[in-house]
mmCIF file with all atom_site columns, all heavy atoms in Angstrom:
data_model
loop_
_atom_site.group_PDB
_atom_site.id
_atom_site.type_symbol
_atom_site.label_atom_id
_atom_site.label_alt_id
_atom_site.label_comp_id
_atom_site.label_asym_id
_atom_site.label_entity_id
_atom_site.label_seq_id
_atom_site.pdbx_PDB_ins_code
_atom_site.Cartn_x
_atom_site.Cartn_y
_atom_site.Cartn_z
_atom_site.occupancy
_atom_site.B_iso_or_equiv
_atom_site.pdbx_formal_charge
_atom_site.auth_seq_id
_atom_site.auth_comp_id
_atom_site.auth_asym_id
_atom_site.auth_atom_id
_atom_site.pdbx_PDB_model_num
ATOM 1   N N   . MET A 1 1  ? 69.838 112.794 73.861 1.00 70.00 ? 1496 MET A N   1
ATOM 2   C CA  . MET A 1 1  ? 69.644 111.391 73.510 1.00 70.00 ? 1496 MET A CA  1
ATOM 3   C C   . MET A 1 1  ? 68.196 111.158 73.111 1.00 70.00 ? 1496 MET A C   1
ATOM 4   O O   . MET A 1 1  ? 67.291 111.754 73.688 1.00 70.00 ? 1496 MET A O   1
ATOM 5   C CB  . MET A 1 1  ? 69.971 110.487 74.701 1.00 70.00 ? 1496 MET A CB  1
ATOM 6   C CG  . MET A 1 1  ? 71.438 110.324 74.963 1.00 70.00 ? 1496 MET A CG  1
ATOM 7   S SD  . MET A 1 1  ? 71.903 108.926 76.015 1.00 70.00 ? 1496 MET A SD  1
ATOM 8   C CE  . MET A 1 1  ? 70.907 109.097 77.445 1.00 70.00 ? 1496 MET A CE  1
ATOM 9   N N   . ARG A 1 4  ? 65.265 105.765 72.343 1.00 88.00 ? 1499 ARG A N   1
ATOM 10  C CA  . ARG A 1 4  ? 65.891 104.441 72.279 1.00 88.00 ? 1499 ARG A CA  1
ATOM 11  C C   . ARG A 1 4  ? 67.167 104.412 73.122 1.00 88.00 ? 1499 ARG A C   1
ATOM 12  O O   . ARG A 1 4  ? 67.405 103.474 73.881 1.00 88.00 ? 1499 ARG A O   1
ATOM 13  C CB  . ARG A 1 4  ? 66.201 104.066 70.827 1.00 88.00 ? 1499 ARG A CB  1
ATOM 14  C CG  . ARG A 1 4  ? 66.778 102.670 70.660 1.00 88.00 ? 1499 ARG A CG  1
ATOM 15  C CD  . ARG A 1 4  ? 67.080 102.335 69.207 1.00 88.00 ? 1499 ARG A CD  1
ATOM 16  N NE  . ARG A 1 4  ? 67.945 103.316 68.560 1.00 88.00 ? 1499 ARG A NE  1
ATOM 17  C CZ  . ARG A 1 4  ? 69.290 103.307 68.650 1.00 88.00 ? 1499 ARG A CZ  1
ATOM 18  N NH1 . ARG A 1 4  ? 69.897 102.404 69.362 1.00 88.00 ? 1499 ARG A NH1 1
ATOM 19  N NH2 . ARG A 1 4  ? 70.001 104.218 68.027 1.00 88.00 ? 1499 ARG A NH2 1
ATOM 20  N N   . ASP A 1 5  ? 67.989 105.472 73.004 1.00 86.00 ? 1500 ASP A N   1
ATOM 21  C CA  . ASP A 1 5  ? 69.212 105.560 73.794 1.00 86.00 ? 1500 ASP A CA  1
ATOM 22  C C   . ASP A 1 5  ? 68.898 105.625 75.289 1.00 86.00 ? 1500 ASP A C   1
ATOM 23  O O   . ASP A 1 5  ? 69.572 104.988 76.102 1.00 86.00 ? 1500 ASP A O   1
ATOM 24  C CB  . ASP A 1 5  ? 70.041 106.784 73.393 1.00 86.00 ? 1500 ASP A CB  1
ATOM 25  C CG  . ASP A 1 5  ? 70.724 106.612 72.048 1.00 86.00 ? 1500 ASP A CG  1
ATOM 26  O OD1 . ASP A 1 5  ? 70.969 105.453 71.650 1.00 86.00 ? 1500 ASP A OD1 1
ATOM 27  O OD2 . ASP A 1 5  ? 71.010 107.637 71.403 1.00 86.00 ? 1500 ASP A OD2 1
ATOM 28  N N   . GLU A 1 8  ? 67.981 102.164 76.433 1.00 90.00 ? 1503 GLU A N   1
ATOM 29  C CA  . GLU A 1 8  ? 69.171 101.310 76.541 1.00 90.00 ? 1503 GLU A CA  1
ATOM 30  C C   . GLU A 1 8  ? 69.965 101.650 77.799 1.00 90.00 ? 1503 GLU A C   1
ATOM 31  O O   . GLU A 1 8  ? 70.422 100.756 78.509 1.00 90.00 ? 1503 GLU A O   1
ATOM 32  C CB  . GLU A 1 8  ? 70.070 101.469 75.313 1.00 90.00 ? 1503 GLU A CB  1
ATOM 33  C CG  . GLU A 1 8  ? 69.568 100.793 74.073 1.00 90.00 ? 1503 GLU A CG  1
ATOM 34  C CD  . GLU A 1 8  ? 70.488 101.035 72.873 1.00 90.00 ? 1503 GLU A CD  1
ATOM 35  O OE1 . GLU A 1 8  ? 71.550 101.678 73.037 1.00 90.00 ? 1503 GLU A OE1 1
ATOM 36  O OE2 . GLU A 1 8  ? 70.131 100.588 71.784 1.00 90.00 ? 1503 GLU A OE2 1
ATOM 37  N N   . LEU A 1 45 ? 78.766 108.234 82.434 1.00 93.00 ? 1540 LEU A N   1
ATOM 38  C CA  . LEU A 1 45 ? 78.365 107.309 81.373 1.00 93.00 ? 1540 LEU A CA  1
ATOM 39  C C   . LEU A 1 45 ? 77.181 107.867 80.592 1.00 93.00 ? 1540 LEU A C   1
ATOM 40  O O   . LEU A 1 45 ? 77.162 107.801 79.351 1.00 93.00 ? 1540 LEU A O   1
ATOM 41  C CB  . LEU A 1 45 ? 78.012 105.947 81.968 1.00 93.00 ? 1540 LEU A CB  1
ATOM 42  C CG  . LEU A 1 45 ? 77.476 104.916 80.977 1.00 93.00 ? 1540 LEU A CG  1
ATOM 43  C CD1 . LEU A 1 45 ? 78.534 104.561 79.942 1.00 93.00 ? 1540 LEU A CD1 1
ATOM 44  C CD2 . LEU A 1 45 ? 77.002 103.668 81.726 1.00 93.00 ? 1540 LEU A CD2 1
ATOM 45  N N   . ARG A 1 47 ? 76.349 110.912 80.072 1.00 92.00 ? 1542 ARG A N   1
ATOM 46  C CA  . ARG A 1 47 ? 76.786 112.012 79.201 1.00 92.00 ? 1542 ARG A CA  1
ATOM 47  C C   . ARG A 1 47 ? 77.425 111.507 77.913 1.00 92.00 ? 1542 ARG A C   1
ATOM 48  O O   . ARG A 1 47 ? 77.342 112.157 76.885 1.00 92.00 ? 1542 ARG A O   1
ATOM 49  C CB  . ARG A 1 47 ? 77.794 112.890 79.933 1.00 92.00 ? 1542 ARG A CB  1
ATOM 50  C CG  . ARG A 1 47 ? 77.180 113.737 80.993 1.00 92.00 ? 1542 ARG A CG  1
ATOM 51  C CD  . ARG A 1 47 ? 78.210 114.636 81.634 1.00 92.00 ? 1542 ARG A CD  1
ATOM 52  N NE  . ARG A 1 47 ? 77.608 115.389 82.714 1.00 92.00 ? 1542 ARG A NE  1
ATOM 53  C CZ  . ARG A 1 47 ? 78.207 115.673 83.851 1.00 92.00 ? 1542 ARG A CZ  1
ATOM 54  N NH1 . ARG A 1 47 ? 79.442 115.307 84.054 1.00 92.00 ? 1542 ARG A NH1 1
ATOM 55  N NH2 . ARG A 1 47 ? 77.572 116.348 84.776 1.00 92.00 ? 1542 ARG A NH2 1
ATOM 56  N N   . ARG A 1 48 ? 78.105 110.362 77.984 1.00 90.00 ? 1543 ARG A N   1
ATOM 57  C CA  . ARG A 1 48 ? 78.824 109.837 76.827 1.00 90.00 ? 1543 ARG A CA  1
ATOM 58  C C   . ARG A 1 48 ? 78.113 108.667 76.151 1.00 90.00 ? 1543 ARG A C   1
ATOM 59  O O   . ARG A 1 48 ? 78.638 108.073 75.225 1.00 90.00 ? 1543 ARG A O   1
ATOM 60  C CB  . ARG A 1 48 ? 80.223 109.398 77.248 1.00 90.00 ? 1543 ARG A CB  1
ATOM 61  C CG  . ARG A 1 48 ? 80.996 110.532 77.873 1.00 90.00 ? 1543 ARG A CG  1
ATOM 62  C CD  . ARG A 1 48 ? 82.461 110.538 77.682 1.00 90.00 ? 1543 ARG A CD  1
ATOM 63  N NE  . ARG A 1 48 ? 83.016 109.795 76.615 1.00 90.00 ? 1543 ARG A NE  1
ATOM 64  C CZ  . ARG A 1 48 ? 83.509 110.326 75.494 1.00 90.00 ? 1543 ARG A CZ  1
ATOM 65  N NH1 . ARG A 1 48 ? 83.458 111.627 75.311 1.00 90.00 ? 1543 ARG A NH1 1
ATOM 66  N NH2 . ARG A 1 48 ? 84.044 109.562 74.575 1.00 90.00 ? 1543 ARG A NH2 1
ATOM 67  N N   . TRP A 1 49 ? 76.929 108.324 76.612 1.00 89.00 ? 1544 TRP A N   1
ATOM 68  C CA  . TRP A 1 49 ? 76.230 107.129 76.137 1.00 89.00 ? 1544 TRP A CA  1
ATOM 69  C C   . TRP A 1 49 ? 76.105 107.082 74.614 1.00 89.00 ? 1544 TRP A C   1
ATOM 70  O O   . TRP A 1 49 ? 76.334 106.059 73.998 1.00 89.00 ? 1544 TRP A O   1
ATOM 71  C CB  . TRP A 1 49 ? 74.849 107.055 76.784 1.00 89.00 ? 1544 TRP A CB  1
ATOM 72  C CG  . TRP A 1 49 ? 74.132 105.780 76.461 1.00 89.00 ? 1544 TRP A CG  1
ATOM 73  C CD1 . TRP A 1 49 ? 73.143 105.598 75.545 1.00 89.00 ? 1544 TRP A CD1 1
ATOM 74  C CD2 . TRP A 1 49 ? 74.378 104.502 77.046 1.00 89.00 ? 1544 TRP A CD2 1
ATOM 75  N NE1 . TRP A 1 49 ? 72.739 104.297 75.525 1.00 89.00 ? 1544 TRP A NE1 1
ATOM 76  C CE2 . TRP A 1 49 ? 73.491 103.593 76.439 1.00 89.00 ? 1544 TRP A CE2 1
ATOM 77  C CE3 . TRP A 1 49 ? 75.252 104.027 78.011 1.00 89.00 ? 1544 TRP A CE3 1
ATOM 78  C CZ2 . TRP A 1 49 ? 73.458 102.246 76.773 1.00 89.00 ? 1544 TRP A CZ2 1
ATOM 79  C CZ3 . TRP A 1 49 ? 75.215 102.691 78.347 1.00 89.00 ? 1544 TRP A CZ3 1
ATOM 80  C CH2 . TRP A 1 49 ? 74.335 101.810 77.735 1.00 89.00 ? 1544 TRP A CH2 1
ATOM 81  N N   . LYS A 1 50 ? 75.738 108.189 74.028 1.00 86.00 ? 1545 LYS A N   1
ATOM 82  C CA  . LYS A 1 50 ? 75.520 108.225 72.581 1.00 86.00 ? 1545 LYS A CA  1
ATOM 83  C C   . LYS A 1 50 ? 76.827 108.011 71.811 1.00 86.00 ? 1545 LYS A C   1
ATOM 84  O O   . LYS A 1 50 ? 76.823 107.507 70.690 1.00 86.00 ? 1545 LYS A O   1
ATOM 85  C CB  . LYS A 1 50 ? 74.890 109.560 72.202 1.00 86.00 ? 1545 LYS A CB  1
ATOM 86  C CG  . LYS A 1 50 ? 74.178 109.543 70.883 1.00 86.00 ? 1545 LYS A CG  1
ATOM 87  C CD  . LYS A 1 50 ? 73.360 110.793 70.715 1.00 86.00 ? 1545 LYS A CD  1
ATOM 88  C CE  . LYS A 1 50 ? 72.546 110.657 69.453 1.00 86.00 ? 1545 LYS A CE  1
ATOM 89  N NZ  . LYS A 1 50 ? 71.473 111.608 69.375 1.00 86.00 ? 1545 LYS A NZ  1
ATOM 90  N N   . LYS A 1 51 ? 77.959 108.381 72.414 1.00 86.00 ? 1546 LYS A N   1
ATOM 91  C CA  . LYS A 1 51 ? 79.254 108.287 71.735 1.00 86.00 ? 1546 LYS A CA  1
ATOM 92  C C   . LYS A 1 51 ? 79.908 106.920 71.888 1.00 86.00 ? 1546 LYS A C   1
ATOM 93  O O   . LYS A 1 51 ? 80.889 106.636 71.214 1.00 86.00 ? 1546 LYS A O   1
ATOM 94  C CB  . LYS A 1 51 ? 80.196 109.364 72.269 1.00 86.00 ? 1546 LYS A CB  1
ATOM 95  C CG  . LYS A 1 51 ? 79.713 110.758 71.962 1.00 86.00 ? 1546 LYS A CG  1
ATOM 96  C CD  . LYS A 1 51 ? 80.632 111.788 72.539 1.00 86.00 ? 1546 LYS A CD  1
ATOM 97  C CE  . LYS A 1 51 ? 80.075 113.190 72.278 1.00 86.00 ? 1546 LYS A CE  1
ATOM 98  N NZ  . LYS A 1 51 ? 80.900 114.227 72.850 1.00 86.00 ? 1546 LYS A NZ  1
ATOM 99  N N   . ILE A 1 52 ? 79.384 106.069 72.758 1.00 83.00 ? 1547 ILE A N   1
ATOM 100 C CA  . ILE A 1 52 ? 79.967 104.745 72.968 1.00 83.00 ? 1547 ILE A CA  1
ATOM 101 C C   . ILE A 1 52 ? 79.516 103.838 71.836 1.00 83.00 ? 1547 ILE A C   1
ATOM 102 O O   . ILE A 1 52 ? 78.337 103.529 71.703 1.00 83.00 ? 1547 ILE A O   1
ATOM 103 C CB  . ILE A 1 52 ? 79.560 104.171 74.338 1.00 83.00 ? 1547 ILE A CB  1
ATOM 104 C CG1 . ILE A 1 52 ? 80.124 105.042 75.447 1.00 83.00 ? 1547 ILE A CG1 1
ATOM 105 C CG2 . ILE A 1 52 ? 80.050 102.729 74.479 1.00 83.00 ? 1547 ILE A CG2 1
ATOM 106 C CD1 . ILE A 1 52 ? 79.685 104.639 76.824 1.00 83.00 ? 1547 ILE A CD1 1
ATOM 107 N N   . ARG A 1 53 ? 80.472 103.425 71.042 1.00 81.00 ? 1548 ARG A N   1
ATOM 108 C CA  . ARG A 1 53 ? 80.154 102.568 69.887 1.00 81.00 ? 1548 ARG A CA  1
ATOM 109 C C   . ARG A 1 53 ? 80.110 101.098 70.282 1.00 81.00 ? 1548 ARG A C   1
ATOM 110 O O   . ARG A 1 53 ? 79.266 100.352 69.829 1.00 81.00 ? 1548 ARG A O   1
ATOM 111 C CB  . ARG A 1 53 ? 81.207 102.766 68.799 1.00 81.00 ? 1548 ARG A CB  1
ATOM 112 C CG  . ARG A 1 53 ? 81.134 104.127 68.174 1.00 81.00 ? 1548 ARG A CG  1
ATOM 113 C CD  . ARG A 1 53 ? 82.095 104.224 67.002 1.00 81.00 ? 1548 ARG A CD  1
ATOM 114 N NE  . ARG A 1 53 ? 82.143 105.610 66.563 1.00 81.00 ? 1548 ARG A NE  1
ATOM 115 C CZ  . ARG A 1 53 ? 83.249 106.278 66.358 1.00 81.00 ? 1548 ARG A CZ  1
ATOM 116 N NH1 . ARG A 1 53 ? 84.414 105.696 66.515 1.00 81.00 ? 1548 ARG A NH1 1
ATOM 117 N NH2 . ARG A 1 53 ? 83.209 107.528 65.977 1.00 81.00 ? 1548 ARG A NH2 1
ATOM 118 N N   . ASP A 1 54 ? 81.064 100.690 71.097 1.00 83.00 ? 1549 ASP A N   1
ATOM 119 C CA  . ASP A 1 54 ? 81.162 99.294  71.498 1.00 83.00 ? 1549 ASP A CA  1
ATOM 120 C C   . ASP A 1 54 ? 80.495 99.119  72.860 1.00 83.00 ? 1549 ASP A C   1
ATOM 121 O O   . ASP A 1 54 ? 81.092 99.385  73.889 1.00 83.00 ? 1549 ASP A O   1
ATOM 122 C CB  . ASP A 1 54 ? 82.646 98.883  71.559 1.00 83.00 ? 1549 ASP A CB  1
ATOM 123 C CG  . ASP A 1 54 ? 82.837 97.425  71.917 1.00 83.00 ? 1549 ASP A CG  1
ATOM 124 O OD1 . ASP A 1 54 ? 81.830 96.688  71.944 1.00 83.00 ? 1549 ASP A OD1 1
ATOM 125 O OD2 . ASP A 1 54 ? 83.987 97.029  72.176 1.00 83.00 ? 1549 ASP A OD2 1
ATOM 126 N N   . ARG A 1 55 ? 79.256 98.674  72.873 1.00 80.00 ? 1550 ARG A N   1
ATOM 127 C CA  . ARG A 1 55 ? 78.507 98.530  74.119 1.00 80.00 ? 1550 ARG A CA  1
ATOM 128 C C   . ARG A 1 55 ? 79.128 97.465  75.028 1.00 80.00 ? 1550 ARG A C   1
ATOM 129 O O   . ARG A 1 55 ? 78.910 97.460  76.231 1.00 80.00 ? 1550 ARG A O   1
ATOM 130 C CB  . ARG A 1 55 ? 77.045 98.168  73.847 1.00 80.00 ? 1550 ARG A CB  1
ATOM 131 C CG  . ARG A 1 55 ? 76.278 99.259  73.128 1.00 80.00 ? 1550 ARG A CG  1
ATOM 132 C CD  . ARG A 1 55 ? 75.958 100.412 74.042 1.00 80.00 ? 1550 ARG A CD  1
ATOM 133 N NE  . ARG A 1 55 ? 75.006 101.295 73.395 1.00 80.00 ? 1550 ARG A NE  1
ATOM 134 C CZ  . ARG A 1 55 ? 75.124 102.596 73.368 1.00 80.00 ? 1550 ARG A CZ  1
ATOM 135 N NH1 . ARG A 1 55 ? 76.142 103.176 73.933 1.00 80.00 ? 1550 ARG A NH1 1
ATOM 136 N NH2 . ARG A 1 55 ? 74.230 103.330 72.754 1.00 80.00 ? 1550 ARG A NH2 1
ATOM 137 N N   . ALA A 1 56 ? 79.920 96.563  74.457 1.00 83.00 ? 1551 ALA A N   1
ATOM 138 C CA  . ALA A 1 56 ? 80.593 95.549  75.269 1.00 83.00 ? 1551 ALA A CA  1
ATOM 139 C C   . ALA A 1 56 ? 81.667 96.180  76.157 1.00 83.00 ? 1551 ALA A C   1
ATOM 140 O O   . ALA A 1 56 ? 82.060 95.599  77.163 1.00 83.00 ? 1551 ALA A O   1
ATOM 141 C CB  . ALA A 1 56 ? 81.211 94.483  74.370 1.00 83.00 ? 1551 ALA A CB  1
ATOM 142 N N   . ALA A 1 57 ? 82.139 97.355  75.805 1.00 85.00 ? 1552 ALA A N   1
ATOM 143 C CA  . ALA A 1 57 ? 83.179 98.037  76.576 1.00 85.00 ? 1552 ALA A CA  1
ATOM 144 C C   . ALA A 1 57 ? 82.591 98.959  77.643 1.00 85.00 ? 1552 ALA A C   1
ATOM 145 O O   . ALA A 1 57 ? 83.340 99.653  78.332 1.00 85.00 ? 1552 ALA A O   1
ATOM 146 C CB  . ALA A 1 57 ? 84.073 98.833  75.632 1.00 85.00 ? 1552 ALA A CB  1
ATOM 147 N N   . THR A 1 58 ? 81.285 98.962  77.797 1.00 92.00 ? 1553 THR A N   1
ATOM 148 C CA  . THR A 1 58 ? 80.636 99.860  78.741 1.00 92.00 ? 1553 THR A CA  1
ATOM 149 C C   . THR A 1 58 ? 81.067 99.577  80.169 1.00 92.00 ? 1553 THR A C   1
ATOM 150 O O   . THR A 1 58 ? 81.337 100.507 80.934 1.00 92.00 ? 1553 THR A O   1
ATOM 151 C CB  . THR A 1 58 ? 79.105 99.763  78.612 1.00 92.00 ? 1553 THR A CB  1
ATOM 152 O OG1 . THR A 1 58 ? 78.749 99.994  77.242 1.00 92.00 ? 1553 THR A OG1 1
ATOM 153 C CG2 . THR A 1 58 ? 78.414 100.790 79.467 1.00 92.00 ? 1553 THR A CG2 1
ATOM 154 N N   . ASP A 1 59 ? 81.144 98.304  80.545 1.00 92.00 ? 1554 ASP A N   1
ATOM 155 C CA  . ASP A 1 59 ? 81.578 97.965  81.906 1.00 92.00 ? 1554 ASP A CA  1
ATOM 156 C C   . ASP A 1 59 ? 82.976 98.502  82.184 1.00 92.00 ? 1554 ASP A C   1
ATOM 157 O O   . ASP A 1 59 ? 83.240 99.029  83.266 1.00 92.00 ? 1554 ASP A O   1
ATOM 158 C CB  . ASP A 1 59 ? 81.567 96.457  82.127 1.00 92.00 ? 1554 ASP A CB  1
ATOM 159 C CG  . ASP A 1 59 ? 80.166 95.902  82.295 1.00 92.00 ? 1554 ASP A CG  1
ATOM 160 O OD1 . ASP A 1 59 ? 79.237 96.694  82.544 1.00 92.00 ? 1554 ASP A OD1 1
ATOM 161 O OD2 . ASP A 1 59 ? 80.004 94.674  82.185 1.00 92.00 ? 1554 ASP A OD2 1
ATOM 162 N N   . TYR A 1 61 ? 84.395 101.080 80.802 1.00 92.00 ? 1556 TYR A N   1
ATOM 163 C CA  . TYR A 1 61 ? 84.313 102.542 80.907 1.00 92.00 ? 1556 TYR A CA  1
ATOM 164 C C   . TYR A 1 61 ? 83.818 102.949 82.298 1.00 92.00 ? 1556 TYR A C   1
ATOM 165 O O   . TYR A 1 61 ? 84.385 103.830 82.935 1.00 92.00 ? 1556 TYR A O   1
ATOM 166 C CB  . TYR A 1 61 ? 83.386 103.103 79.825 1.00 92.00 ? 1556 TYR A CB  1
ATOM 167 C CG  . TYR A 1 61 ? 83.212 104.602 79.919 1.00 92.00 ? 1556 TYR A CG  1
ATOM 168 C CD1 . TYR A 1 61 ? 84.158 105.456 79.381 1.00 92.00 ? 1556 TYR A CD1 1
ATOM 169 C CD2 . TYR A 1 61 ? 82.116 105.152 80.574 1.00 92.00 ? 1556 TYR A CD2 1
ATOM 170 C CE1 . TYR A 1 61 ? 84.010 106.841 79.492 1.00 92.00 ? 1556 TYR A CE1 1
ATOM 171 C CE2 . TYR A 1 61 ? 81.962 106.521 80.680 1.00 92.00 ? 1556 TYR A CE2 1
ATOM 172 C CZ  . TYR A 1 61 ? 82.909 107.364 80.135 1.00 92.00 ? 1556 TYR A CZ  1
ATOM 173 O OH  . TYR A 1 61 ? 82.773 108.724 80.248 1.00 92.00 ? 1556 TYR A OH  1
#
Side-chain angles (χ1 to χ4, degrees):
M1496 284 197 308
R1499 183 180 54 84
D1500 287 335
E1503 285 178 3
L1540 176 64
R1542 287 183 184 142
R1543 303 212 20 106
W1544 186 258
K1545 201 169 186 164
K1546 296 178 183 178
I1547 296 175
R1548 291 186 189 131
D1549 182 9
R1550 295 286 191 226
T1553 306
D1554 285 344
Y1556 177 82

